[in-house]
Amino acid sequence: MIETGMEHKFSRFGEMLTVEDDSVIQGYASLFGAADQGGDSVAPGAYTASLAQLSAAGCRVKMLWQHDPAQPIGVWEEIREDSRGLWVKGRLLTEIPRGAEAATLIAAGAIEGLSIGYRTKRARRAEGGGRILTEVELWEVSLVTFPMLPSARVMGQKADAETQNLRRLVADLRRASRALSRSSFSPISAKDRTKP
């Protein structure tokens, strides 16, 4: 058994997480068997005891901004474990400034995902490094800028395939622009051109 202090695990918005009506977030905050950037993965059933304890106590997992306990930004109305992972559904409280800000940042693509805040109760070493978390005490699920689990990204309500393609194109154009500005290439000015 491995016990540790508070830890975080990130999930990006995307296929697994969606935002509807500018404030309703739903999808997977954690996927079973998906290794995060630290090499840890969560085993099926790891959240069961924690969710049961919270329910019995009449408590909810908190929705925080960037793991800051002083900045709740919404409420998780449904959290459950299924065969794929930890599924969540909640809403941003857009009546408060930070909740409205979060909704705006998600729509603009500036916030990319969710991150769970938890304490490892039981884990075992994984072959090749990292851990397999077999029991965790779930404290909160935050909206964050940088997730640990790449598949936990958030997409705005209009982020369909066309929008995703446009975002990739914009990113490619920005990279190309930066590369050109770093190179020795300089555009020909009008006075340097010769007339045919």
Side-chain angles (χ1 to χ4, degrees), residues 8 13 25 62-76 92-93 96-107 109-115 117 140-146 154:
H8 303 113
F13 291 113
I25 299 169
K62 304 302 180 204
M63 182 189 291
L64 301 179
W65 178 251
Q66 308 282 353
H67 296 295
D68 184 346
Q71 295 190 63
I73 57 168
V75 292
W76 293 115
L92 293 168
L93 298 177
I96 61 172
R98 183 63 79 188
E101 179 182 345
T104 300
L105 290 168
I106 290 169
I111 298 297
E112 293 193 344
L114 298 177
S115 180
E140 50 95 4
V141 179
S142 286
L143 272 74
V144 295
T145 308
F146 301 108
V154 176

Side-chain angles (χ1 to χ4, degrees), residues 118-165:
Y118 64 95
R119 188 172 65 88
T120 301
K121 303 232 4 176
R122 289 191 179 88
R124 65 180 185 270
R125 294 283 169 214
E127 289 183 28
R131 301 175 300 167
I132 298 172
L133 309 179
T134 56
E135 184 180 351
V136 299
E137 182 179 1
L138 185 63
W139 285 71
E140 50 95 4
V141 179
S142 286
L143 272 74
V144 295
T145 308
F146 301 108
M148 282 287 283
L149 182 62
S151 58
R153 288 191 178 212
V154 176
M155 301 290 280
Q157 67 183 43
K158 297 179 182 174
D160 56 11
E162 184 177 328
T163 303
Q164 286 301 94
N165 288 338

Side-chain angles (χ1 to χ4, degrees), residues 148-182:
M148 282 287 283
L149 182 62
S151 58
R153 288 191 178 212
V154 176
M155 301 290 280
Q157 67 183 43
K158 297 179 182 174
D160 56 11
E162 184 177 328
T163 303
Q164 286 301 94
N165 288 338
L166 287 173
R167 285 183 180 167
R168 280 192 287 276
L169 176 62
V170 167
D172 289 343
L173 289 172
R174 285 183 179 148
R175 278 191 294 277
S177 175
R178 284 191 298 271
L180 283 173
S181 68
R182 287 189 302 262

Side-chain angles (χ1 to χ4, degrees), residues 16-127:
M16 301 300 186
L17 291 167
T18 60
V19 179
E20 299 171 354
D21 300 325
D22 293 329
S23 64
V24 177
I25 299 169
Q26 64 180 342
Y28 288 92
S30 175
L31 293 173
F32 295 137
D36 64 18
Q37 294 174 9
D40 292 343
S41 63
V42 179
Y47 300 104
T48 304
S50 180
L51 293 175
Q53 288 171 350
L54 287 166
S55 179
C59 297
R60 288 185 177 181
V61 172
K62 304 302 180 204
M63 182 189 291
L64 301 179
W65 178 251
Q66 308 282 353
H67 296 295
D68 184 346
Q71 295 190 63
I73 57 168
V75 292
W76 293 115
E77 296 169 332
E78 188 176 350
I79 297 182
R80 69 176 185 266
E81 221 181 10
D82 64 18
S83 62
R84 294 181 76 186
L86 183 67
W87 188 88
V88 298
K89 181 177 182 180
R91 62 187 163 82
L92 293 168
L93 298 177
T94 55
E95 304 84 4
I96 61 172
R98 183 63 79 188
E101 179 182 345
T104 300
L105 290 168
I106 290 169
I111 298 297
E112 293 193 344
L114 298 177
S115 180
I116 61 172
Y118 64 95
R119 188 172 65 88
T120 301
K121 303 232 4 176
R122 289 191 179 88
R124 65 180 185 270
R125 294 283 169 214
E127 289 183 28

